[in-house]
């Protein structure tokens, strides 16, 4: 049944949540200015920011790449089905809100393995009446299970946009490439892959310092080159759409990222660096700031 994941026993859910350790979804939430994280996540985000003081731009521009990619897919490309694996905590805005504003009949299946994301997943299931959303509590490393459950909402005879945005750097090579192939193999012609990925091509010193802070905290953190990222497309038989694989802020920029309301100067001055991140305008960006590649490919 769609939404089944949400019926999980609250005691079991609490047991799965380890708030003593930082977790990618929650550290990411810190950088997006959310509130669904614990002190360990704030501590990890602060260490990451100390290693790369403008690193919040990677996160915020990655999220803006996702907004533009979904806008392109639902608009120009006419895609009506989205499988978003590594969804992250609900934020403004989620994939279904972006897609359904353009095409109200869009269907979106979200997948994540973080129990905190599961605990907040109800906010992802706010589909308009013409479309549909579902949430699957699963690991990317279980592609067959994801495909089977997603088939309750997604028609795999019609094109699907598979979104693997800022997730594959948490998966080692021996699993990452075969998983992407297996997922893409299950999609019909005309389907798309949207992918973004951290890299050490662009600003190696800072991003490797960030990598150290997160691996010390137990994250798998694989930085991949542009060629490595391209392999996810070519090895799965996908043709890259323009402009190919580029730093995310150069992927079809529309300069429409929301600019946060600014608080009083005195309030802002009293905040620490991590708290200030939520008020930053991401239009203040240079090529030296971004360490994330993004791309979109089509299955022939
Ligand atoms: C950095 S966030 C990206 C969120 C969103 N895709 C975006 O780009 O804005 C990565 C997300 O992937 C999830 N994730 C990491 N490894 C995963 C795995 N093996 N299976 C499922 N989800 C995973 C995390 O829980 C987190 O929510």
């Amino acid at each position: 049944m769609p939404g089944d994941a949400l019926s999980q026993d609250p005691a079991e859910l609490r047991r799965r949540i380890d708030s003593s350790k930082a977790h990618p979804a929650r550290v990411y939430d810190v950088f997006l200015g959310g509130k669904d994280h614990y002190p360990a996540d704030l501590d990890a985000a602060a260490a990451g920011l100390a290693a790369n003081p403008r690193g919040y731009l990677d996160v915020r521009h990655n999220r803006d790449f996702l907004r533009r990619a979904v806008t392109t897919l639902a608009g120009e490309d006419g895609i009506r089905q989205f499988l978003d694996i590594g969804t992250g905590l609900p934020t403004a805005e989620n994939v279904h809100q972006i897609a359904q504003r353009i095409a109200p009949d869009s269907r979106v299946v979200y997948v994540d393995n973080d129990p905190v994301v599961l605990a907040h997943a109800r906010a992802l299931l706010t589909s308009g009446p013409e479309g549909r959303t579902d949430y699957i509590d699963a690991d990317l490393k279980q592609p067959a299970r994801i495909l089977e459950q997603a088939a309750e909402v997604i028609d795999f005879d019609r094109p699907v946009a598979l979104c693997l945005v800022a997730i594959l750097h948490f998966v080692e090579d021996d699993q990452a490439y075969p998983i992407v192939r297996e997922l893409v193999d299950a999609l019909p012609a005309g389907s798309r892959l949207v992918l973004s990925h951290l890299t050490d091509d662009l600003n190696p010193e800072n991003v490797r310092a960030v990598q150290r802070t997160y691996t010390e905290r137990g994250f798998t953190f694989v930085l991949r080159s542009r060629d490595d990222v391209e392999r996810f497309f070519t090895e799965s038989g996908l043709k890259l759409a323009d402009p190919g694989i580029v730093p995310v802020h150069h992927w079809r920029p529309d300069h429409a990222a929301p600019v946060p309301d600014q608080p009083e100067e005195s309030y802002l001055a009293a905040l620490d660096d991590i708290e200030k991140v939520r008020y930053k305008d991401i239009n203040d960006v240079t090529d030296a700031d971004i360490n994330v590649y993004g791309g979109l490919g089509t299955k022939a």
Side-chain angles (χ1 to χ4, degrees), residues 23-26 28 32 59 62-63 66 84-89 91 111-114 117 138-141 164-167 169-171 196:
H23 191 282
R26 294 172 238 154
Y28 191 78
L32 285 184
V59 173
N62 173 70
R63 190 72 201 181
L66 177 62
D84 178 18
I85 308 180
T87 303
L89 282 152
T91 185
V111 183
D112 207 288
N113 69 350
D114 183 343
V117 179
D139 198 294
L140 174 63
K141 295 173 186 167
L164 296 173
V165 179
I167 180 171
H169 37 249
F170 302 117
V171 185
S196 73

Side-chain angles (χ1 to χ4, degrees), residues 113 137-147 179 182-183:
N113 69 350
D137 173 32
D139 198 294
L140 174 63
K141 295 173 186 167
Q142 308 163 296
R145 187 179 144 209
I146 291 173
L147 291 166
I179 287 169
E182 183 170 345
L183 289 168

